[in-house]
Amino acid sequence: MLSQEAPQCDGGQEENERRNFVESFQQCCPPGGESSVVLYCTSLRGIRKTYEDCRSMQMLFRTLGINIDERDVSMHSGFRTELRQLLGAPVGLPRVFIGGRFIGGAEEVRSMHEQGNLARLLQGMVSRHGSFLACDGCGGMRFVPCRWCRGSCKLFLVGGGGVKKCPHCNENGIVRCPICSSPKAVTLHINASHRELYPGTLP
């Protein structure tokens, strides 16, 4: 009986196909998002479907074990301005960018995940261990009160010189969490927490 050998997969061809697939998406990079997953979302529940779509995207990437840079427009109006400048017009939420390319909204991302194509886009993205552990700094809110004005948005000038607007925080008196404000930072923090909880499981 003749043995049949399984066809060998051409790794170079597979990589070329993946690269072509990635390059089919619009190159549109959020600030600092060259090698990460950036999710523009909202934590407000004013529009139920929008809120649920944002939550579903957060849960999807966390389930896949991928670090995401969440940019909550309800916490910081600068993110909404940033998104409008990126896409040239006001758009709905959520909006997902991977590796400096615009991927789309919840429906597009879910469809790609169901078809098995999302993994091709996520190749090389920063993964995380213990993906459901909340940040010790902000409890998962991604923002903390400004330490300069203590959330008041005002700084009192020395010698009774009046007050001025705090230059360090946004309109809500908050700043991005220094622990989990970037994929690399959150990886270091999550891995440290994971080592503490499960000694010997990470290098």
Side-chain angles (χ1 to χ4, degrees):
M1 178 179 293
L2 296 176
S3 62
Q4 292 183 344
E5 294 184 359
Q8 297 296 315
C9 178
D10 187 339
Q13 181 180 349
E14 184 176 326
E15 176 58 26
N16 286 336
E17 290 177 355
R18 190 194 74 82
R19 188 180 298 112
N20 290 336
F21 177 69
V22 171
E23 292 176 354
S24 68
F25 293 90
Q26 175 188 355
Q27 191 164 10
C28 185
C29 187
E34 296 84 359
S35 57
S36 61
V37 177
V38 178
L39 171 66
Y40 288 89
C41 58
T42 179
S43 55
L44 292 181
R45 305 190 184 201
I47 301 177
R48 182 176 177 179
K49 186 178 187 308
T50 298
Y51 173 76
E52 289 178 348
D53 282 345
C54 290
R55 287 290 295 164
S56 72
M57 290 296 97
Q58 293 168 334
M59 294 303 295
L60 172 61
F61 288 113
R62 289 174 185 173
T63 301
L64 293 173
I66 297 296
N67 279 335
I68 52 176
D69 181 355
E70 296 178 33
R71 303 191 182 185
D72 189 336
V73 302
S74 63
M75 299 285 282
H76 180 45
S77 63
F79 289 152
R80 186 178 294 278
T81 301
E82 184 176 283
L83 180 60
R84 185 167 60 245
Q85 291 174 343
L86 281 169
L87 299 181
V91 293
L93 298 170
R95 285 295 179 267
V96 176
F97 297 76
I98 299 178
R101 293 182 181 274
F102 175 54
I103 307 306
E107 291 185 10
E108 292 86 352
V109 174
R110 275 195 292 261
S111 176
M112 277 189 287
H113 179 52
E114 291 167 359
Q115 295 169 8
N117 288 325
L118 184 59
R120 300 167 73 185
L121 292 172
L122 294 175
Q123 188 172 324
M125 295 296 109
V126 179
S127 61
R128 66 191 296 180
H129 297 272
S131 57
F132 291 98
L133 295 175
C135 171
D136 291 339
C138 63
M141 296 302 294
R142 303 284 181 163
F143 284 88
V144 294
C146 176
R147 68 184 180 89
W148 287 275
C149 69
R150 299 185 183 276
S152 69
C153 298
K154 299 176 182 177
L155 291 178
F156 292 89
L157 301 179
V158 184
V163 298
K164 71 172 184 177
K165 184 181 183 303
C166 179
H168 304 289
C169 59
N170 68 8
E171 69 279 6
N172 295 314
I174 53 180
V175 297
R176 298 202 77 185
C177 176
I179 294 178
C180 64
S181 58
S182 72
K184 289 184 180 179
V186 74
T187 296
L188 293 174
H189 172 68
I190 290 294
N191 286 353
S193 300
H194 194 91
R195 288 191 190 95
E196 185 176 345
L197 289 172
Y198 310 107
T201 60
L202 287 177

